Amino acid sequence: MLVSANEAAAAIAEHISGSTTEFAKLMTKRAKELGCTNTQFKNPHGLPNEEHYTTAHDMGLILTEAMKHEELCTTSALRPTDKAGEASTEKSPCSKGRSVTIKTNKSCSWQ
């Protein structure tokens, strides 16, 4: 979504939580608040870690929330299309009338 800046993610995490480990705990807590049931973060930047995991469904929930923030829309490479899905949708500043679709069979697509 964004050009890699692992050192920036680590610096922000340390500033907010004192360490990348504590920030990852906050990330996991927030994911649970969004309804994620199969997500655990171990670092703030997404670099590989055997204990760091998520699912496509959970990432769809996280993306739906993230797209509510105009900052992401202006800095990311997300470019939605006008296609409609056969599922519930949620509008966002990124979509300009388009939507993220989380399909009822727990698959997720960015349309």
Side-chain angles (χ1 to χ4, degrees), residues 13-79:
E14 289 173 6
H15 176 75
I16 291 173
S17 299
S19 72
T20 58
T21 301
E22 289 303 311
F23 190 77
K25 289 177 185 177
L26 285 179
M27 291 171 58
T28 300
K29 180 180 178 219
R30 180 64 177 135
K32 287 180 182 177
E33 291 169 358
L34 296 174
C36 298
T37 57
N38 292 299
T39 295
Q40 176 175 274
F41 295 106
K42 288 298 184 179
N43 59 55
H45 38 64
L47 291 177
N49 181 305
E50 289 185 16
E51 296 177 29
H52 185 93
Y53 60 85
T54 191
T55 63
H57 179 258
D58 285 1
M59 286 305 296
L61 295 173
I62 293 167
L63 176 61
T64 298
E65 178 62 26
M67 288 179 52
K68 293 177 182 177
H69 302 276
E70 189 65 35
E71 303 83 24
L72 176 70
C73 302
T74 59
T75 59
S76 74
L78 292 175
R79 298 294 178 258

Side-chain angles (χ1 to χ4, degrees), residues 85-100:
E86 296 180 41
S88 61
T89 60
E90 189 167 330
K91 303 295 182 199
S92 76
C94 294
S95 65
K96 296 184 175 122
R98 300 173 199 132
S99 59
V100 169

